Amino acid sequence: MIIDIPEGKDPIGFVWGEMVPGIGVAAAAFSLSVYEHSTLGLREFEAARLRIAQINGCLFCQDWRTERDGQKVEAEFADAVTHWRDTDRFDERTRLAAEYAERYATDHHGLDDEFWARMFAQYTQAEVVELSMSIGSWLAFGRLNRVLGLDTVCVLPGH
C-alpha cells in the first residue's frame, strides 16, 4: 500500500472516508448503488464486473462474487470471463457484457456501429446506460484500489 494509514485505522474507511470526505463518501455511495440498484441479470453483471477486475488487476475485485437472493455465479465463471470469446458457458447477453466491459476499458474509440447493433439487439437503451455506469464505477474505483494498493485490504461495507 502506498498510502500512509494511521495506526488503528481501517485502510478503506480512512482513504475513502476520512482523507477526502467530500469526494470519497460520494464515490463510495455511487459504488454501492451499482450493487444495490442494478436491474441487470446476475450473470451479465458479473461478466462485466469480473472482466474489469481482470483488466484492472484488482485482487479483491477478482475474488469478490456478487450475491443476489442467495445466488452467486459458479466457481468456474471467472475463467469463462477470461475466455468470453469462445466459452460455451455464456448466453449472448453475458458474452456481450464481457465484451463491452473489455472494450470500454481498452478500446472505447473502437465501439463501432456493428458492435452497437449487436448490443442493442440484446439490451435496451436503459440497460446499456446502466451497464456503462456500472463499468465506469468498477473501472475507476477498482483501479484506484489497485494503484494505491488497497486491493489487498479491501472489504465492501456491509459485507
Side-chain angles (χ1 to χ4, degrees), residues 36-96:
E36 292 174 357
H37 303 292
S38 180
T39 65
L40 299 168
L42 181 61
R43 292 180 69 75
E44 58 226 28
F45 183 92
E46 280 293 272
R49 190 195 63 73
L50 275 165
R51 191 65 196 122
I52 293 298
Q54 292 166 348
I55 291 166
N56 280 344
C58 179
L59 300 175
F60 173 78
C61 301
Q62 290 179 73
D63 286 341
W64 174 262
R65 295 298 175 271
T66 303
E67 184 177 326
R68 287 202 195 140
D69 300 321
Q71 299 294 311
K72 291 183 180 184
V73 294
E74 66 275 12
E76 303 82 15
F77 193 83
D79 187 54
V81 170
T82 302
H83 303 287
W84 63 263
R85 286 173 183 82
D86 54 21
T87 184
D88 61 0
R89 293 182 174 272
F90 289 176
D91 63 14
E92 191 59 22
R93 280 178 61 98
T94 305
R95 188 178 318 282
L96 274 167

Side-chain angles (χ1 to χ4, degrees), residues 2-150:
I2 65 168
I3 301 297
D4 293 327
I5 307 298
E7 191 171 328
K9 292 281 188 177
D10 169 62
I12 297 300
F14 179 74
V15 171
W16 282 74
E18 292 183 52
M19 286 190 84
V20 289
I23 299 171
V25 173
F30 173 53
S31 179
L32 288 174
S33 72
V34 167
Y35 293 88
E36 292 174 357
H37 303 292
S38 180
T39 65
L40 299 168
L42 181 61
R43 292 180 69 75
E44 58 226 28
F45 183 92
E46 280 293 272
R49 190 195 63 73
L50 275 165
R51 191 65 196 122
I52 293 298
Q54 292 166 348
I55 291 166
N56 280 344
C58 179
L59 300 175
F60 173 78
C61 301
Q62 290 179 73
D63 286 341
W64 174 262
R65 295 298 175 271
T66 303
E67 184 177 326
R68 287 202 195 140
D69 300 321
Q71 299 294 311
K72 291 183 180 184
V73 294
E74 66 275 12
E76 303 82 15
F77 193 83
D79 187 54
V81 170
T82 302
H83 303 287
W84 63 263
R85 286 173 183 82
D86 54 21
T87 184
D88 61 0
R89 293 182 174 272
F90 289 176
D91 63 14
E92 191 59 22
R93 280 178 61 98
T94 305
R95 188 178 318 282
L96 274 167
E99 178 183 358
Y100 184 40
E102 181 175 302
R103 293 179 73 176
Y104 187 106
T106 65
D107 186 29
H108 62 284
H109 292 287
L111 295 169
D112 56 14
D113 291 342
E114 182 275 331
F115 170 79
W116 289 119
R118 289 187 295 117
M119 194 70 174
F120 285 117
Q122 296 293 320
Y123 287 89
T124 67
Q125 289 185 4
E127 289 173 323
V128 169
V129 170
E130 180 180 332
L131 187 55
S132 300
M133 287 183 176
S134 297
I135 291 168
S137 170
W138 300 319
L139 182 62
F141 302 136
R143 190 160 295 181
L144 176 146
N145 286 338
R146 177 64 182 152
V147 167
L148 298 181
L150 297 171

